[in-house]
Amino acid sequence: MKNRIRNKIGRTLCVISILLIASLLSACGKKENPQEEPDPGILLGFSQIGSESAWRVGNTNDIMKKAEEYKISLMFEDAKQKQENQIAAIRRFIAYKVDVIAFSPIVEDGWDNVLLEAKNAGIPVILVDRDISTEEEGLTTCLIGADFYQEGVKAGEYLIRKADSLGLDRVNIVEITGTVNSTPMRQRQAGFADAIAGDERMHVLESIDGDFIKSRGAECMKMFLEEYGDEIDVVYSHNDEMTLGAIPVIEEAGLVPGKDIVVISIDGGQDAIDVLKQGKINCIVECTPRLGKEVMETVIRLKNGETVEKTIHPDEAVFSDEQDLTKLGPRGY
Ligand code: GZL
């Protein structure tokens, strides 16, 4: 009896050891499947203008969030509102041999040399948010950003409707512009001017550069009120930061923003939307900062050698006192 049990245990141990040796041999001899080599990944160099507005901060956050989501390594540089810092950053990206360069150009001119260096290095360049003008063609692959001209048109079309509803026969407008020579400034001004050109009621008294920043918006509004006082019917401001700077100045002059002076703005950040809901701003044309998804998908297409569209415009809305604003959800920037 005992012998039979010993034999059974012996046979079982023998089978287990054979199975163990077999599995060890297969593990050692197992070839790495070449398809499973770790992905070297994509390295994107991104030069951001700075942090001049809630819009810009929202744009930066979205770029970073989407880079992580799409597993793209990001070399991010903040130019602190200086073109020379953007040019230096692009040169660093070239030296680092990134796969793709993306940047939001603070102004339209002065990019030819550094973009020629990127082209000669074989690195594709994506424009994000704003456009550039260069002597040489083909220095950039595509532009991903808002249609600023249409934003200006939407602002002008709102004003025509507002003048109709108020029964105005003359409309005196002051304009606080964004950074001179930037795409949003040029095109928001052109779109607005073209939209009101056929309406004889409309008169732009003066345009002053507010550089997209709050303090300058306040200074511009102060200058306008000192110059024109209660002649002013409308202030058209190229972004919310400058608008939010101008509103307290209107109030300090004893005037009611949104009533004595119609206030038209662009961007659509939470702070400005809250003021719109209070009735101190009459219209905000949306300019979405959420460009990260389109940027990362374009980066991947370029890395895969696919062709991409020359221009990608996001859809954008208009928020105004013509609508039920209670339904407007949180803006996220
Ligand atoms: C628009 C962007 C502008 C925003 C401003 O796409 O370039 O720059 O409207 C920001 O808030 O400063």
Side-chain angles (χ1 to χ4, degrees):
M1 180 60 167
K2 274 187 186 159
N3 278 342
R4 269 208 311 276
I5 289 171
R6 273 199 201 100
N7 286 343
K8 200 163 165 49
I9 290 170
R11 274 199 307 275
T12 310
L13 282 174
C14 183
V15 169
I16 288 172
S17 52
I18 288 169
L19 285 175
L20 261 179
I21 290 164
S23 60
L24 279 172
L25 283 173
S26 70
C28 297
K30 190 171 174 194
K31 269 239 157 289
E32 271 299 308
N33 174 337
Q35 273 68 41
E36 287 169 8
E37 290 297 323
D39 178 353
I42 299 175
L43 178 57
L44 167 65
F46 190 97
S47 167
Q48 179 61 289
I49 289 177
S51 51
E52 75 280 1
S53 65
W55 188 97
R56 187 66 54 198
V57 172
N59 179 244
T60 293
N61 293 341
D62 191 63
I63 292 288
M64 290 181 169
K65 185 176 142 208
K66 292 302 178 191
E68 195 176 338
E69 220 170 273
Y70 281 78
K71 295 184 176 34
I72 290 174
S73 302
L74 184 62
M75 269 180 85
F76 181 91
E77 295 219 17
D78 176 341
K80 298 187 179 6
Q81 318 304 127
K82 293 187 185 324
Q83 180 176 27
E84 59 266 31
N85 291 347
Q86 290 199 285
I87 291 170
I90 292 171
R91 288 204 163 103
R92 277 192 289 279
F93 298 152
I94 294 168
Y96 212 81
K97 296 186 172 46
V98 298
D99 295 297
V100 181
I101 292 170
F103 75 114
S104 179
I106 186 166
V107 290
E108 292 195 343
D109 302 315
W111 304 101
D112 293 70
N113 294 339
V114 72
L115 293 182
L116 199 54
E117 292 166 31
K119 184 176 182 178
N120 293 338
I123 302 175
V125 177
I126 298 174
L127 291 171
V128 178
D129 169 29
R130 300 183 180 181
D131 203 351
I132 59 174
S133 63
T134 54
E135 294 298 314
E136 182 158 338
E137 294 294 312
L139 293 180
T140 57
T141 309
C142 70
L143 165 65
I144 300 170
D147 185 338
F148 302 121
Y149 179 82
Q150 276 308 314
E151 290 172 355
V153 168
K154 290 173 185 174
E157 288 172 346
Y158 166 81
L159 180 54
I160 289 169
R161 296 195 301 272
K162 188 67 177 177
D164 293 345
S165 69
L166 294 174
L168 301 178
D169 54 18
R170 180 181 174 94
V171 182
N172 289 328
I173 306 156
V174 292
E175 181 182 26
I176 306 175
T177 78
T179 309
V180 173
N181 192 25
S182 70
T183 315
M185 176 267 169
R186 281 182 164 171
Q187 296 185 5
R188 286 170 182 168
Q189 185 168 61
F192 181 80
D194 290 351
I196 64 173
D199 189 325
E200 287 173 7
R201 297 173 293 179
M202 305 292 168
H203 301 271
V204 177
L205 301 177
E206 190 173 359
S207 295
I208 305 182
D209 172 19
D211 204 19
F212 284 131
I213 54 179
K214 193 170 194 172
S215 57
R216 286 283 298 129
E219 289 163 16
C220 294
M221 197 67 229
K222 196 166 182 309
M223 285 187 269
F224 285 141
L225 286 165
E226 283 165 2
E227 179 72 23
Y228 305 103
D230 56 10
E231 269 182 69
I232 300 171
D233 299 308
V234 179
V235 55
Y236 169 47
S237 166
H238 288 189
N239 87 327
D240 293 343
E241 293 304 310
M242 300 187 296
T243 304
L244 294 171
I247 284 174
V249 173
I250 294 172
E251 292 173 316
E252 282 149 24
L255 298 169
V256 180
K259 302 251 180 310
D260 298 328
I261 295 181
V262 172
V263 180
I264 300 172
S265 187
I266 300 178
D267 275 348
Q270 191 61 58
D271 290 351
I273 291 289
D274 292 345
V275 174
L276 173 75
K277 290 180 175 179
Q278 294 163 16
K280 295 182 181 180
I281 296 176
N282 302 90
C283 172
I284 299 178
V285 177
E286 183 185 28
C287 177
T288 179
R290 293 194 182 87
L291 303 173
K293 177 175 181 292
E294 288 79 5
V295 171
M296 300 311 152
E297 289 178 353
T298 302
V299 166
I300 292 168
R301 285 195 196 101
L302 288 171
K303 178 72 177 165
N304 294 340
E306 297 168 28
T307 52
V308 297
E309 293 168 71
K310 278 306 282 173
T311 307
I312 301 171
H313 286 321
D315 296 330
E316 296 178 327
V318 176
F319 309 116
S320 80
D321 52 10
E322 302 161 303
Q323 304 154 7
D324 174 6
L325 296 168
T326 55
K327 295 193 173 68
L328 207 46
R331 300 291 297 149
Y333 65 96

